[in-house]
Amino acid sequence: MSLLKCDFFSEVLDLSTSMTVIMPQEPLSTVKETRDKKYPVLYLLHGYSDDHTIWTRRTSVERYVQNLGLAVVMPQVDHSYYTDMKYGKKYWTFLSEEVPHVARSLFHLSDKREDNFVAGLSMGGYGAFKWALRQPEKFAAAASLSGALNVANRVKQMPDRRDGFNLIFGEEEIQGTENDLFWLIEQGNLAAYKPLLYQSCGTEDFLYDDNVQFKEMVNNTDFDLITEFETGDHEWSYWDRKIQDVLNWLPIKKDEAKE
């Protein structure tokens, strides 16, 4: 595997930014055979207090993907909740349009739906489901670890971050909009494409109740959701363990995987 820090200029954000990328590294003897190969890719999203480096700093994700033939792209989105902020940068447009474009222009990544996946933790779990539910034609599967899945509820319950949420969402109601995962599930239940969903959360996590509510909502739809609730809190030893379960669950095509 190769681990790269990619510095680039974002036209959407109008600033220089970075993403961390893990790429399969083929043996020299196979260069000719793999020259035109396009790798499946996992977009792996960070949480509220982190950045694009955190997954490689706090977990062994580089080692976990070593034999999967899978690329991992980890962008940086500040405190945006993966949203076009009311008073700030357009991080939803950056994530959903520019990041895949830049990544595919620089690396051999597949653009096929069956080869594209997204996952994240906490704020990134929200971002992963939001991306997959708003653009289900682009993703085969999405995973949330300890996700902030009920943002409308979070805003009401966290007055200490009210000003920050106002910068992101403004004063407008989140419920019933494209920033509301519960509303997106309702709309997506009738859509032609439905990504596979994986959800995990520790029972001691402050986001556990929100995750239970999301599970109950999805269980009344045709979405295929795997849920794993077990002992654990909002911390990295839990996420390091669960990202391995996510990687084992991803429907990576057999002929793409590196034996």
Side-chain angles (χ1 to χ4, degrees):
M1 304 298 293
S2 56
L3 177 65
L4 307 102
K5 178 188 176 186
C6 180
D7 299 320
F8 64 100
F9 182 79
S10 166
E11 296 178 49
V12 172
L13 304 179
D14 194 29
L15 55 76
S16 293
T17 187
S18 302
M19 60 184 173
T20 297
V21 180
I22 300 171
M23 285 296 298
Q25 183 173 334
E26 299 290 346
L28 184 61
S29 60
T30 65
V31 167
K32 290 183 180 180
E33 292 82 357
T34 60
R35 183 174 297 162
D36 298 322
K37 183 175 182 178
K38 300 289 180 121
Y39 292 99
V41 56
L42 170 66
Y43 294 92
L44 189 56
L45 310 183
H46 67 76
Y48 186 83
S49 60
D50 300 318
D51 65 9
H52 65 102
T53 68
I54 196 67
W55 277 104
T56 54
R57 289 167 51 211
R58 302 299 296 273
T59 77
S60 295
V61 64
E62 182 183 3
R63 177 165 58 87
Y64 300 151
V65 300
Q66 184 171 357
N67 296 318
L68 298 180
L70 177 73
V72 183
V73 174
M74 294 161 276
Q76 177 169 268
V77 303
D78 202 356
H79 292 158
S80 68
Y81 268 79
Y82 301 87
T83 298
D84 282 349
M85 300 173 68
K86 185 73 173 181
Y87 305 103
K89 301 293 186 181
K90 294 186 175 182
Y91 279 102
W92 164 253
T93 303
F94 168 71
L95 174 74
S96 62
E97 297 182 15
E98 190 169 26
V99 167
H101 170 74
V102 172
R104 290 168 187 159
S105 70
L106 297 174
F107 306 102
H108 289 274
L109 304 179
S110 173
D111 61 359
K112 297 178 180 178
R113 179 178 185 265
E114 61 265 31
D115 293 332
N116 277 257
F117 320 104
V118 59
L121 68 89
S122 195
M123 180 185 80
Y126 165 79
F129 276 178
K130 177 178 174 179
W131 195 1
L133 292 172
R134 286 182 64 169
Q135 298 183 339
E137 74 282 358
K138 294 185 177 181
F139 294 100
S144 166
L145 306 182
S146 310
L149 303 185
N150 191 342
V151 170
N153 193 45
R154 286 293 98 204
V155 172
K156 295 174 182 176
Q157 293 187 359
M158 300 180 71
D160 57 322
R161 290 188 180 175
R162 178 68 254 188
D163 291 342
F165 282 127
N166 281 347
L167 291 176
I168 299 167
F169 302 108
E171 298 287 349
E172 300 170 3
E173 180 63 52
I174 297 171
Q175 191 171 358
T177 72
E178 289 187 325
N179 292 316
D180 177 8
L181 297 185
F182 290 75
W183 183 84
L184 290 173
I185 285 289
E186 288 181 344
Q187 308 309 306
N189 193 42
L190 301 176
Y193 294 102
K194 290 186 180 68
L196 303 175
L197 301 178
Y198 173 100
Q199 170 197 19
S200 80
C201 188
T203 52
E204 287 71 48
D205 196 304
F206 70 97
L207 291 171
Y208 175 67
D209 289 343
D210 289 357
N211 276 262
V212 171
Q213 292 170 15
F214 184 83
K215 175 185 182 295
E216 292 173 348
M217 166 71 175
V218 178
N219 282 348
N220 292 319
T221 71
D222 292 333
F223 278 92
D224 186 335
L225 172 68
I226 298 294
T227 301
E228 294 183 353
F229 294 154
E230 59 195 66
T231 299
D233 210 330
H234 207 75
E235 47 86 25
W236 279 102
S237 63
Y238 177 80
W239 299 323
D240 181 61
R241 184 170 77 253
K242 298 311 292 184
I243 192 61
Q244 298 176 66
D245 293 338
V246 170
L247 293 170
N248 290 331
W249 166 81
L250 287 179
I252 302 171
K253 293 191 299 184
K254 297 288 187 180
D255 59 346
E256 293 284 1
K258 181 181 176 182
E259 300 296 336

Short mmCIF file of all heavy atoms in Angstrom, two decimals, residues 3 7 26 63 180 224:
data_model
loop_
_atom_site.label_atom_id
_atom_site.label_comp_id
_atom_site.label_asym_id
_atom_site.label_seq_id
_atom_site.Cartn_x
_atom_site.Cartn_y
_atom_site.Cartn_z
N LEU A 3 0.69 5.45 1.13
CA LEU A 3 -0.05 6.47 1.88
C LEU A 3 0.41 7.83 1.39
O LEU A 3 1.60 8.16 1.43
CB LEU A 3 0.22 6.32 3.37
CG LEU A 3 -0.42 7.36 4.29
CD1 LEU A 3 -1.94 7.24 4.26
CD2 LEU A 3 0.09 7.19 5.72
N ASP A 7 -2.13 17.62 -1.53
CA ASP A 7 -2.46 19.04 -1.41
C ASP A 7 -2.96 19.54 -2.75
O ASP A 7 -2.31 19.32 -3.77
CB ASP A 7 -1.24 19.85 -0.98
CG ASP A 7 -0.69 19.42 0.37
OD1 ASP A 7 -1.49 19.13 1.26
OD2 ASP A 7 0.55 19.36 0.51
N GLU A 26 0.90 -2.01 -6.62
CA GLU A 26 1.09 -3.25 -7.34
C GLU A 26 2.58 -3.59 -7.47
O GLU A 26 3.43 -2.69 -7.57
CB GLU A 26 0.48 -3.15 -8.74
CG GLU A 26 -1.01 -2.88 -8.75
CD GLU A 26 -1.82 -4.07 -8.28
OE1 GLU A 26 -1.25 -5.17 -8.19
OE2 GLU A 26 -3.02 -3.89 -7.99
N ARG A 63 -3.34 -0.70 7.21
CA ARG A 63 -3.05 -2.13 7.30
C ARG A 63 -4.29 -2.96 7.01
O ARG A 63 -4.21 -4.01 6.36
CB ARG A 63 -2.48 -2.46 8.68
CG ARG A 63 -2.20 -3.93 8.92
CD ARG A 63 -1.31 -4.11 10.15
NE ARG A 63 -1.90 -3.55 11.35
CZ ARG A 63 -2.74 -4.20 12.15
NH1 ARG A 63 -3.09 -5.45 11.86
NH2 ARG A 63 -3.22 -3.62 13.24
N ASP A 180 -31.73 16.41 6.46
CA ASP A 180 -32.41 15.55 7.43
C ASP A 180 -32.39 14.10 6.91
O ASP A 180 -33.06 13.77 5.94
CB ASP A 180 -33.84 16.05 7.61
CG ASP A 180 -34.67 15.18 8.55
OD1 ASP A 180 -34.10 14.27 9.19
OD2 ASP A 180 -35.89 15.40 8.62
N ASP A 224 -31.92 -1.99 2.95
CA ASP A 224 -31.19 -3.10 3.55
C ASP A 224 -30.21 -2.50 4.56
O ASP A 224 -29.18 -1.94 4.19
CB ASP A 224 -30.44 -3.88 2.46
CG ASP A 224 -29.78 -5.14 3.01
OD1 ASP A 224 -29.47 -5.19 4.22
OD2 ASP A 224 -29.55 -6.07 2.22
#
